[in-house]
PDB file of all heavy atoms in Angstrom:
ATOM      1  N   GLY A   1       0.782  -1.180   0.030  1.00 97.00           N
ATOM      2  CA  GLY A   1       0.005   0.001  -0.060  1.00 97.00           C
ATOM      3  C   GLY A   1       0.841   1.243  -0.028  1.00 97.00           C
ATOM      4  O   GLY A   1       2.058   1.245   0.108  1.00 97.00           O
ATOM      5  N   LYS A   2       0.142   2.396  -0.095  1.00 96.00           N
ATOM      6  CA  LYS A   2       0.741   3.683  -0.302  1.00 96.00           C
ATOM      7  C   LYS A   2       1.625   4.042   1.011  1.00 96.00           C
ATOM      8  O   LYS A   2       2.692   4.733   0.855  1.00 96.00           O
ATOM      9  CB  LYS A   2      -0.307   4.685  -0.535  1.00 96.00           C
ATOM     10  CG  LYS A   2       0.140   6.041  -0.790  1.00 96.00           C
ATOM     11  CD  LYS A   2      -0.980   7.138  -1.150  1.00 96.00           C
ATOM     12  CE  LYS A   2      -0.513   8.483  -1.346  1.00 96.00           C
ATOM     13  NZ  LYS A   2      -1.710   9.336  -1.470  1.00 96.00           N
ATOM     14  N   THR A   3       1.028   3.705   2.163  1.00 96.00           N
ATOM     15  CA  THR A   3       1.657   4.058   3.446  1.00 96.00           C
ATOM     16  C   THR A   3       2.650   3.067   3.990  1.00 96.00           C
ATOM     17  O   THR A   3       2.982   3.100   5.137  1.00 96.00           O
ATOM     18  CB  THR A   3       0.688   4.572   4.344  1.00 96.00           C
ATOM     19  OG1 THR A   3      -0.174   3.511   4.674  1.00 96.00           O
ATOM     20  CG2 THR A   3      -0.106   5.839   3.990  1.00 96.00           C
ATOM     21  N   ALA A   4       2.893   1.974   3.313  1.00 97.00           N
ATOM     22  CA  ALA A   4       3.720   0.829   3.797  1.00 97.00           C
ATOM     23  C   ALA A   4       5.181   1.457   4.015  1.00 97.00           C
ATOM     24  O   ALA A   4       5.502   2.233   3.219  1.00 97.00           O
ATOM     25  CB  ALA A   4       3.744  -0.321   2.808  1.00 97.00           C
ATOM     26  N   LYS A   5       5.888   0.750   4.819  1.00 96.00           N
ATOM     27  CA  LYS A   5       7.277   1.264   5.061  1.00 96.00           C
ATOM     28  C   LYS A   5       8.235   0.625   4.056  1.00 96.00           C
ATOM     29  O   LYS A   5       7.888  -0.310   3.398  1.00 96.00           O
ATOM     30  CB  LYS A   5       7.791   0.680   6.425  1.00 96.00           C
ATOM     31  CG  LYS A   5       7.219   1.495   7.713  1.00 96.00           C
ATOM     32  CD  LYS A   5       8.056   1.222   8.957  1.00 96.00           C
ATOM     33  CE  LYS A   5       8.075  -0.211   9.293  1.00 96.00           C
ATOM     34  NZ  LYS A   5       8.739  -0.391  10.666  1.00 96.00           N
ATOM     35  N   LEU A   6       9.388   1.300   3.956  1.00 96.00           N
ATOM     36  CA  LEU A   6      10.343   0.881   3.006  1.00 96.00           C
ATOM     37  C   LEU A   6      11.117  -0.218   3.595  1.00 96.00           C
ATOM     38  O   LEU A   6      12.163   0.025   4.353  1.00 96.00           O
ATOM     39  CB  LEU A   6      11.349   2.093   2.688  1.00 96.00           C
ATOM     40  CG  LEU A   6      12.358   1.782   1.516  1.00 96.00           C
ATOM     41  CD1 LEU A   6      11.837   1.571   0.203  1.00 96.00           C
ATOM     42  CD2 LEU A   6      13.439   2.888   1.489  1.00 96.00           C
ATOM     43  N   ALA A   7      10.652  -1.486   3.330  1.00 97.00           N
ATOM     44  CA  ALA A   7      11.314  -2.672   3.865  1.00 97.00           C
ATOM     45  C   ALA A   7      11.295  -3.734   2.904  1.00 97.00           C
ATOM     46  O   ALA A   7      10.340  -3.807   2.085  1.00 97.00           O
ATOM     47  CB  ALA A   7      10.695  -3.070   5.244  1.00 97.00           C
ATOM     48  N   VAL A   8      12.249  -4.759   2.871  1.00 97.00           N
ATOM     49  CA  VAL A   8      12.344  -5.769   1.860  1.00 97.00           C
ATOM     50  C   VAL A   8      11.045  -6.638   2.045  1.00 97.00           C
ATOM     51  O   VAL A   8      10.561  -7.002   3.103  1.00 97.00           O
ATOM     52  CB  VAL A   8      13.505  -6.633   2.123  1.00 97.00           C
ATOM     53  CG1 VAL A   8      13.538  -7.891   1.313  1.00 97.00           C
ATOM     54  CG2 VAL A   8      14.851  -5.790   1.834  1.00 97.00           C
ATOM     55  N   GLY A   9      10.512  -6.742   0.886  1.00 97.00           N
ATOM     56  CA  GLY A   9       9.160  -7.627   0.746  1.00 97.00           C
ATOM     57  C   GLY A   9       7.959  -6.861   0.648  1.00 97.00           C
ATOM     58  O   GLY A   9       6.876  -7.287   0.278  1.00 97.00           O
ATOM     59  N   ASN A  10       8.001  -5.547   1.041  1.00 98.00           N
ATOM     60  CA  ASN A  10       6.843  -4.633   0.987  1.00 98.00           C
ATOM     61  C   ASN A  10       6.570  -4.115  -0.419  1.00 98.00           C
ATOM     62  O   ASN A  10       7.631  -3.954  -1.141  1.00 98.00           O
ATOM     63  CB  ASN A  10       6.948  -3.482   2.003  1.00 98.00           C
ATOM     64  CG  ASN A  10       6.847  -3.932   3.480  1.00 98.00           C
ATOM     65  OD1 ASN A  10       6.675  -5.139   3.731  1.00 98.00           O
ATOM     66  ND2 ASN A  10       7.112  -2.963   4.282  1.00 98.00           N
ATOM     67  N   THR A  11       5.351  -3.843  -0.679  1.00 97.00           N
ATOM     68  CA  THR A  11       4.922  -3.405  -2.021  1.00 97.00           C
ATOM     69  C   THR A  11       4.395  -1.949  -1.937  1.00 97.00           C
ATOM     70  O   THR A  11       3.337  -1.836  -1.135  1.00 97.00           O
ATOM     71  CB  THR A  11       3.996  -4.365  -2.762  1.00 97.00           C
ATOM     72  OG1 THR A  11       4.577  -5.603  -2.820  1.00 97.00           O
ATOM     73  CG2 THR A  11       3.668  -3.849  -4.077  1.00 97.00           C
ATOM     74  N   LEU A  12       4.951  -1.009  -2.745  1.00 96.00           N
ATOM     75  CA  LEU A  12       4.353   0.250  -2.632  1.00 96.00           C
ATOM     76  C   LEU A  12       4.573   1.040  -3.882  1.00 96.00           C
ATOM     77  O   LEU A  12       5.420   0.612  -4.710  1.00 96.00           O
ATOM     78  CB  LEU A  12       4.825   1.127  -1.406  1.00 96.00           C
ATOM     79  CG  LEU A  12       6.397   1.279  -1.158  1.00 96.00           C
ATOM     80  CD1 LEU A  12       6.609   2.397  -0.200  1.00 96.00           C
ATOM     81  CD2 LEU A  12       6.918  -0.042  -0.548  1.00 96.00           C
ATOM     82  N   PRO A  13       3.844   2.122  -4.160  1.00 97.00           N
ATOM     83  CA  PRO A  13       4.029   2.893  -5.398  1.00 97.00           C
ATOM     84  C   PRO A  13       5.415   3.434  -5.450  1.00 97.00           C
ATOM     85  O   PRO A  13       6.037   3.877  -4.592  1.00 97.00           O
ATOM     86  CB  PRO A  13       3.097   4.036  -5.328  1.00 97.00           C
ATOM     87  CG  PRO A  13       1.994   3.581  -4.278  1.00 97.00           C
ATOM     88  CD  PRO A  13       2.719   2.801  -3.381  1.00 97.00           C
ATOM     89  N   ILE A  14       6.067   3.294  -6.674  1.00 97.00           N
ATOM     90  CA  ILE A  14       7.404   3.697  -6.988  1.00 97.00           C
ATOM     91  C   ILE A  14       7.636   5.215  -6.662  1.00 97.00           C
ATOM     92  O   ILE A  14       8.774   5.694  -6.414  1.00 97.00           O
ATOM     93  CB  ILE A  14       7.994   3.203  -8.336  1.00 97.00           C
ATOM     94  CG1 ILE A  14       7.176   3.820  -9.514  1.00 97.00           C
ATOM     95  CG2 ILE A  14       8.080   1.728  -8.331  1.00 97.00           C
ATOM     96  CD1 ILE A  14       7.714   3.559 -10.801  1.00 97.00           C
ATOM     97  N   GLY A  15       6.535   6.028  -6.789  1.00 96.00           N
ATOM     98  CA  GLY A  15       6.672   7.365  -6.470  1.00 96.00           C
ATOM     99  C   GLY A  15       6.946   7.724  -4.962  1.00 96.00           C
ATOM    100  O   GLY A  15       7.307   8.784  -4.762  1.00 96.00           O
ATOM    101  N   GLN A  16       6.670   6.782  -4.156  1.00 95.00           N
ATOM    102  CA  GLN A  16       6.977   6.938  -2.680  1.00 95.00           C
ATOM    103  C   GLN A  16       8.358   6.542  -2.230  1.00 95.00           C
ATOM    104  O   GLN A  16       8.744   6.654  -1.124  1.00 95.00           O
ATOM    105  CB  GLN A  16       6.050   6.091  -1.789  1.00 95.00           C
ATOM    106  CG  GLN A  16       4.590   6.218  -2.141  1.00 95.00           C
ATOM    107  CD  GLN A  16       4.035   7.554  -1.668  1.00 95.00           C
ATOM    108  OE1 GLN A  16       4.436   8.038  -0.545  1.00 95.00           O
ATOM    109  NE2 GLN A  16       3.183   8.200  -2.324  1.00 95.00           N
ATOM    110  N   LEU A  17       9.158   6.037  -3.278  1.00 96.00           N
ATOM    111  CA  LEU A  17      10.485   5.492  -2.950  1.00 96.00           C
ATOM    112  C   LEU A  17      11.575   6.469  -3.145  1.00 96.00           C
ATOM    113  O   LEU A  17      11.490   7.220  -4.125  1.00 96.00           O
ATOM    114  CB  LEU A  17      10.753   4.211  -3.805  1.00 96.00           C
ATOM    115  CG  LEU A  17       9.831   3.145  -3.558  1.00 96.00           C
ATOM    116  CD1 LEU A  17      10.078   2.010  -4.814  1.00 96.00           C
ATOM    117  CD2 LEU A  17      10.006   2.488  -2.324  1.00 96.00           C
ATOM    118  N   PRO A  18      12.664   6.539  -2.333  1.00 96.00           N
ATOM    119  CA  PRO A  18      13.681   7.498  -2.586  1.00 96.00           C
ATOM    120  C   PRO A  18      14.605   6.999  -3.695  1.00 96.00           C
ATOM    121  O   PRO A  18      14.662   5.800  -4.063  1.00 96.00           O
ATOM    122  CB  PRO A  18      14.435   7.491  -1.145  1.00 96.00           C
ATOM    123  CG  PRO A  18      14.038   6.167  -0.580  1.00 96.00           C
ATOM    124  CD  PRO A  18      12.793   5.736  -1.109  1.00 96.00           C
ATOM    125  N   GLU A  19      15.429   7.946  -4.180  1.00 96.00           N
ATOM    126  CA  GLU A  19      16.334   7.572  -5.226  1.00 96.00           C
ATOM    127  C   GLU A  19      17.412   6.630  -4.797  1.00 96.00           C
ATOM    128  O   GLU A  19      17.824   6.688  -3.647  1.00 96.00           O
ATOM    129  CB  GLU A  19      17.016   8.811  -5.857  1.00 96.00           C
ATOM    130  CG  GLU A  19      16.108   9.715  -6.592  1.00 96.00           C
ATOM    131  CD  GLU A  19      16.732  11.010  -7.149  1.00 96.00           C
ATOM    132  OE1 GLU A  19      18.199  10.914  -7.158  1.00 96.00           O
ATOM    133  OE2 GLU A  19      16.111  12.002  -7.369  1.00 96.00           O
ATOM    134  N   GLY A  20      17.800   5.576  -5.531  1.00 96.00           N
ATOM    135  CA  GLY A  20      18.597   4.526  -5.223  1.00 96.00           C
ATOM    136  C   GLY A  20      17.963   3.374  -4.617  1.00 96.00           C
ATOM    137  O   GLY A  20      18.650   2.297  -4.329  1.00 96.00           O
ATOM    138  N   SER A  21      16.676   3.322  -4.464  1.00 97.00           N
ATOM    139  CA  SER A  21      15.964   2.284  -3.981  1.00 97.00           C
ATOM    140  C   SER A  21      15.991   1.030  -4.953  1.00 97.00           C
ATOM    141  O   SER A  21      15.800   1.195  -6.117  1.00 97.00           O
ATOM    142  CB  SER A  21      14.514   2.444  -3.570  1.00 97.00           C
ATOM    143  OG  SER A  21      14.403   3.478  -2.716  1.00 97.00           O
ATOM    144  N   VAL A  22      16.286  -0.187  -4.370  1.00 98.00           N
ATOM    145  CA  VAL A  22      16.337  -1.397  -5.268  1.00 98.00           C
ATOM    146  C   VAL A  22      14.923  -2.002  -5.107  1.00 98.00           C
ATOM    147  O   VAL A  22      14.350  -2.300  -4.093  1.00 98.00           O
ATOM    148  CB  VAL A  22      17.345  -2.374  -4.641  1.00 98.00           C
ATOM    149  CG1 VAL A  22      17.232  -3.812  -5.300  1.00 98.00           C
ATOM    150  CG2 VAL A  22      18.769  -1.818  -4.872  1.00 98.00           C
ATOM    151  N   ILE A  23      14.258  -2.210  -6.326  1.00 98.00           N
ATOM    152  CA  ILE A  23      12.982  -2.807  -6.382  1.00 98.00           C
ATOM    153  C   ILE A  23      12.797  -3.928  -7.468  1.00 98.00           C
ATOM    154  O   ILE A  23      13.695  -3.918  -8.263  1.00 98.00           O
ATOM    155  CB  ILE A  23      11.976  -1.668  -6.747  1.00 98.00           C
ATOM    156  CG1 ILE A  23      12.398  -0.819  -7.923  1.00 98.00           C
ATOM    157  CG2 ILE A  23      11.588  -0.799  -5.540  1.00 98.00           C
ATOM    158  CD1 ILE A  23      11.346   0.196  -8.354  1.00 98.00           C
ATOM    159  N   SER A  24      11.840  -4.587  -7.398  1.00 98.00           N
ATOM    160  CA  SER A  24      11.596  -5.693  -8.494  1.00 98.00           C
ATOM    161  C   SER A  24      10.064  -5.887  -8.585  1.00 98.00           C
ATOM    162  O   SER A  24       9.229  -5.277  -7.940  1.00 98.00           O
ATOM    163  CB  SER A  24      12.149  -7.001  -7.936  1.00 98.00           C
ATOM    164  OG  SER A  24      11.635  -7.416  -6.670  1.00 98.00           O
ATOM    165  N   ASN A  25       9.822  -6.644  -9.637  1.00 98.00           N
ATOM    166  CA  ASN A  25       8.274  -6.946  -9.958  1.00 98.00           C
ATOM    167  C   ASN A  25       7.530  -5.637 -10.169  1.00 98.00           C
ATOM    168  O   ASN A  25       6.599  -5.484  -9.492  1.00 98.00           O
ATOM    169  CB  ASN A  25       7.669  -7.950  -9.056  1.00 98.00           C
ATOM    170  CG  ASN A  25       6.452  -8.566  -9.399  1.00 98.00           C
ATOM    171  OD1 ASN A  25       6.105  -8.452 -10.849  1.00 98.00           O
ATOM    172  ND2 ASN A  25       5.584  -9.130  -8.741  1.00 98.00           N
ATOM    173  N   ILE A  26       7.908  -4.794 -11.006  1.00 98.00           N
ATOM    174  CA  ILE A  26       7.507  -3.501 -11.121  1.00 98.00           C
ATOM    175  C   ILE A  26       6.327  -3.573 -12.192  1.00 98.00           C
ATOM    176  O   ILE A  26       6.446  -4.149 -13.183  1.00 98.00           O
ATOM    177  CB  ILE A  26       8.545  -2.452 -11.512  1.00 98.00           C
ATOM    178  CG1 ILE A  26       9.616  -2.602 -10.653  1.00 98.00           C
ATOM    179  CG2 ILE A  26       7.981  -1.058 -11.543  1.00 98.00           C
ATOM    180  CD1 ILE A  26      10.971  -2.166 -11.268  1.00 98.00           C
ATOM    181  N   GLU A  27       5.316  -2.607 -12.018  1.00 97.00           N
ATOM    182  CA  GLU A  27       4.200  -2.519 -12.928  1.00 97.00           C
ATOM    183  C   GLU A  27       4.724  -1.549 -14.013  1.00 97.00           C
ATOM    184  O   GLU A  27       5.306  -0.479 -13.850  1.00 97.00           O
ATOM    185  CB  GLU A  27       2.936  -1.904 -12.210  1.00 97.00           C
ATOM    186  CG  GLU A  27       2.328  -2.797 -11.314  1.00 97.00           C
ATOM    187  CD  GLU A  27       1.078  -2.167 -10.638  1.00 97.00           C
ATOM    188  OE1 GLU A  27       1.103  -0.943 -10.409  1.00 97.00           O
ATOM    189  OE2 GLU A  27       0.088  -2.962 -10.356  1.00 97.00           O
ATOM    190  N   GLU A  28       4.401  -1.969 -15.318  1.00 97.00           N
ATOM    191  CA  GLU A  28       4.671  -0.966 -16.344  1.00 97.00           C
ATOM    192  C   GLU A  28       3.637   0.001 -16.583  1.00 97.00           C
ATOM    193  O   GLU A  28       3.825   1.196 -16.920  1.00 97.00           O
ATOM    194  CB  GLU A  28       4.852  -1.870 -17.600  1.00 97.00           C
ATOM    195  CG  GLU A  28       5.514  -1.143 -18.726  1.00 97.00           C
ATOM    196  CD  GLU A  28       5.988  -2.005 -19.879  1.00 97.00           C
ATOM    197  OE1 GLU A  28       5.654  -3.141 -19.916  1.00 97.00           O
ATOM    198  OE2 GLU A  28       6.612  -1.541 -20.891  1.00 97.00           O
ATOM    199  N   LYS A  29       2.409  -0.408 -16.264  1.00 97.00           N
ATOM    200  CA  LYS A  29       1.195   0.550 -16.275  1.00 97.00           C
ATOM    201  C   LYS A  29       0.483   0.318 -14.890  1.00 97.00           C
ATOM    202  O   LYS A  29       0.444  -0.886 -14.523  1.00 97.00           O
ATOM    203  CB  LYS A  29       0.259   0.171 -17.407  1.00 97.00           C
ATOM    204  CG  LYS A  29       0.855   0.487 -18.806  1.00 97.00           C
ATOM    205  CD  LYS A  29      -0.153   0.172 -19.956  1.00 97.00           C
ATOM    206  CE  LYS A  29       0.425   0.412 -21.294  1.00 97.00           C
ATOM    207  NZ  LYS A  29       1.612  -0.512 -21.573  1.00 97.00           N
ATOM    208  N   PRO A  30       0.015   1.397 -14.377  1.00 96.00           N
ATOM    209  CA  PRO A  30      -0.655   1.133 -13.086  1.00 96.00           C
ATOM    210  C   PRO A  30      -1.719   0.049 -13.047  1.00 96.00           C
ATOM    211  O   PRO A  30      -2.658   0.151 -13.892  1.00 96.00           O
ATOM    212  CB  PRO A  30      -1.241   2.560 -12.701  1.00 96.00           C
ATOM    213  CG  PRO A  30      -0.348   3.505 -13.524  1.00 96.00           C
ATOM    214  CD  PRO A  30      -0.004   2.757 -14.686  1.00 96.00           C
ATOM    215  N   GLY A  31      -1.650  -0.933 -12.255  1.00 95.00           N
ATOM    216  CA  GLY A  31      -2.693  -1.873 -12.158  1.00 95.00           C
ATOM    217  C   GLY A  31      -2.392  -3.141 -12.961  1.00 95.00           C
ATOM    218  O   GLY A  31      -3.259  -4.128 -12.929  1.00 95.00           O
ATOM    219  N   ASP A  32      -1.300  -3.216 -13.652  1.00 96.00           N
ATOM    220  CA  ASP A  32      -1.032  -4.499 -14.389  1.00 96.00           C
ATOM    221  C   ASP A  32      -0.417  -5.662 -13.568  1.00 96.00           C
ATOM    222  O   ASP A  32      -0.168  -6.637 -14.016  1.00 96.00           O
ATOM    223  CB  ASP A  32      -0.149  -4.166 -15.684  1.00 96.00           C
ATOM    224  CG  ASP A  32       1.251  -3.826 -15.396  1.00 96.00           C
ATOM    225  OD1 ASP A  32       1.723  -4.051 -14.326  1.00 96.00           O
ATOM    226  OD2 ASP A  32       2.020  -3.568 -16.295  1.00 96.00           O
ATOM    227  N   ARG A  33      -0.076  -5.323 -12.392  1.00 97.00           N
ATOM    228  CA  ARG A  33       0.199  -6.307 -11.253  1.00 97.00           C
ATOM    229  C   ARG A  33       1.674  -6.941 -11.402  1.00 97.00           C
ATOM    230  O   ARG A  33       1.941  -7.914 -11.047  1.00 97.00           O
ATOM    231  CB  ARG A  33      -0.891  -7.523 -11.253  1.00 97.00           C
ATOM    232  CG  ARG A  33      -2.273  -6.928 -10.903  1.00 97.00           C
ATOM    233  CD  ARG A  33      -3.241  -8.025 -10.796  1.00 97.00           C
ATOM    234  NE  ARG A  33      -3.095  -8.934  -9.788  1.00 97.00           N
ATOM    235  CZ  ARG A  33      -3.908  -9.980  -9.530  1.00 97.00           C
ATOM    236  NH1 ARG A  33      -5.007 -10.227 -10.346  1.00 97.00           N
ATOM    237  NH2 ARG A  33      -3.660 -10.665  -8.482  1.00 97.00           N
ATOM    238  N   GLY A  34       2.391  -6.115 -12.087  1.00 97.00           N
ATOM    239  CA  GLY A  34       3.925  -6.467 -12.143  1.00 97.00           C
ATOM    240  C   GLY A  34       4.378  -7.126 -13.535  1.00 97.00           C
ATOM    241  O   GLY A  34       3.923  -8.106 -13.872  1.00 97.00           O
ATOM    242  N   SER A  35       5.386  -6.494 -14.150  1.00 97.00           N
ATOM    243  CA  SER A  35       5.842  -6.936 -15.428  1.00 97.00           C
ATOM    244  C   SER A  35       7.272  -6.758 -15.746  1.00 97.00           C
ATOM    245  O   SER A  35       7.840  -7.314 -16.666  1.00 97.00           O
ATOM    246  CB  SER A  35       5.025  -6.434 -16.571  1.00 97.00           C
ATOM    247  OG  SER A  35       5.099  -5.009 -16.627  1.00 97.00           O
ATOM    248  N   LEU A  36       7.921  -5.915 -14.834  1.00 97.00           N
ATOM    249  CA  LEU A  36       9.366  -5.651 -15.140  1.00 97.00           C
ATOM    250  C   LEU A  36      10.253  -6.181 -13.935  1.00 97.00           C
ATOM    251  O   LEU A  36       9.761  -6.220 -12.743  1.00 97.00           O
ATOM    252  CB  LEU A  36       9.524  -4.143 -15.218  1.00 97.00           C
ATOM    253  CG  LEU A  36       8.899  -3.439 -16.270  1.00 97.00           C
ATOM    254  CD1 LEU A  36       8.937  -1.881 -16.108  1.00 97.00           C
ATOM    255  CD2 LEU A  36       9.137  -3.843 -17.681  1.00 97.00           C
ATOM    256  N   ALA A  37      11.478  -6.614 -14.259  1.00 97.00           N
ATOM    257  CA  ALA A  37      12.435  -7.152 -13.222  1.00 97.00           C
ATOM    258  C   ALA A  37      11.736  -8.262 -12.424  1.00 97.00           C
ATOM    259  O   ALA A  37      11.614  -8.128 -11.124  1.00 97.00           O
ATOM    260  CB  ALA A  37      12.864  -5.873 -12.356  1.00 97.00           C
ATOM    261  N   ARG A  38      11.533  -9.378 -13.119  1.00 97.00           N
ATOM    262  CA  ARG A  38      10.891 -10.485 -12.237  1.00 97.00           C
ATOM    263  C   ARG A  38      11.689 -11.782 -12.350  1.00 97.00           C
ATOM    264  O   ARG A  38      11.385 -12.694 -11.673  1.00 97.00           O
ATOM    265  CB  ARG A  38       9.641 -10.779 -13.019  1.00 97.00           C
ATOM    266  CG  ARG A  38       8.445  -9.798 -12.904  1.00 97.00           C
ATOM    267  CD  ARG A  38       7.411  -9.999 -13.907  1.00 97.00           C
ATOM    268  NE  ARG A  38       6.894 -11.204 -13.939  1.00 97.00           N
ATOM    269  CZ  ARG A  38       5.744 -11.537 -13.295  1.00 97.00           C
ATOM    270  NH1 ARG A  38       5.085 -10.689 -12.552  1.00 97.00           N
ATOM    271  NH2 ARG A  38       5.226 -12.767 -13.411  1.00 97.00           N
ATOM    272  N   ALA A  39      12.847 -11.833 -13.152  1.00 97.00           N
ATOM    273  CA  ALA A  39      13.543 -13.035 -13.108  1.00 97.00           C
ATOM    274  C   ALA A  39      14.476 -13.115 -11.929  1.00 97.00           C
ATOM    275  O   ALA A  39      14.786 -12.061 -11.213  1.00 97.00           O
ATOM    276  CB  ALA A  39      14.470 -13.034 -14.468  1.00 97.00           C
ATOM    277  N   SER A  40      15.102 -14.285 -11.564  1.00 97.00           N
ATOM    278  CA  SER A  40      15.828 -14.656 -10.405  1.00 97.00           C
ATOM    279  C   SER A  40      17.058 -13.573 -10.467  1.00 97.00           C
ATOM    280  O   SER A  40      17.768 -13.579 -11.438  1.00 97.00           O
ATOM    281  CB  SER A  40      16.180 -16.022 -10.369  1.00 97.00           C
ATOM    282  OG  SER A  40      16.886 -16.437 -11.447  1.00 97.00           O
ATOM    283  N   GLY A  41      17.352 -12.955  -9.293  1.00 97.00           N
ATOM    284  CA  GLY A  41      18.505 -12.090  -9.065  1.00 97.00           C
ATOM    285  C   GLY A  41      18.394 -10.706  -9.682  1.00 97.00           C
ATOM    286  O   GLY A  41      19.257  -9.970  -9.635  1.00 97.00           O
ATOM    287  N   ASN A  42      17.255 -10.538 -10.441  1.00 97.00           N
ATOM    288  CA  ASN A  42      17.063  -9.251 -11.101  1.00 97.00           C
ATOM    289  C   ASN A  42      16.533  -8.167 -10.204  1.00 97.00           C
ATOM    290  O   ASN A  42      15.844  -8.416  -9.211  1.00 97.00           O
ATOM    291  CB  ASN A  42      16.006  -9.326 -12.267  1.00 97.00           C
ATOM    292  CG  ASN A  42      16.886  -9.716 -13.524  1.00 97.00           C
ATOM    293  OD1 ASN A  42      18.054 -10.035 -13.454  1.00 97.00           O
ATOM    294  ND2 ASN A  42      16.181  -9.676 -14.568  1.00 97.00           N
ATOM    295  N   TYR A  43      16.884  -6.913 -10.469  1.00 98.00           N
ATOM    296  CA  TYR A  43      16.282  -5.808  -9.744  1.00 98.00           C
ATOM    297  C   TYR A  43      16.419  -4.470 -10.625  1.00 98.00           C
ATOM    298  O   TYR A  43      17.144  -4.460 -11.558  1.00 98.00           O
ATOM    299  CB  TYR A  43      16.935  -5.607  -8.419  1.00 98.00           C
ATOM    300  CG  TYR A  43      18.433  -5.170  -8.511  1.00 98.00           C
ATOM    301  CD1 TYR A  43      18.959  -3.900  -8.636  1.00 98.00           C
ATOM    302  CD2 TYR A  43      19.449  -6.201  -8.557  1.00 98.00           C
ATOM    303  CE1 TYR A  43      20.191  -3.525  -8.697  1.00 98.00           C
ATOM    304  CE2 TYR A  43      20.809  -5.879  -8.695  1.00 98.00           C
ATOM    305  CZ  TYR A  43      21.144  -4.602  -8.762  1.00 98.00           C
ATOM    306  OH  TYR A  43      22.561  -4.221  -8.858  1.00 98.00           O
ATOM    307  N   ALA A  44      15.601  -3.553 -10.275  1.00 98.00           N
ATOM    308  CA  ALA A  44      15.650  -2.235 -10.905  1.00 98.00           C
ATOM    309  C   ALA A  44      16.066  -1.149  -9.889  1.00 98.00           C
ATOM    310  O   ALA A  44      15.832  -1.478  -8.699  1.00 98.00           O
ATOM    311  CB  ALA A  44      14.332  -1.909 -11.602  1.00 98.00           C
TER     312      ALA A  44
END
């Protein structure tokens, strides 16, 4: 959710994240439920 803390495993909008944050399983369009950086060991 929008007010979730910045901790490993939590899911939140990328607009809430500071620069340099490591993220995975990112949505390409809002609501598509994850389409980028999904392979093992990958991150954006």
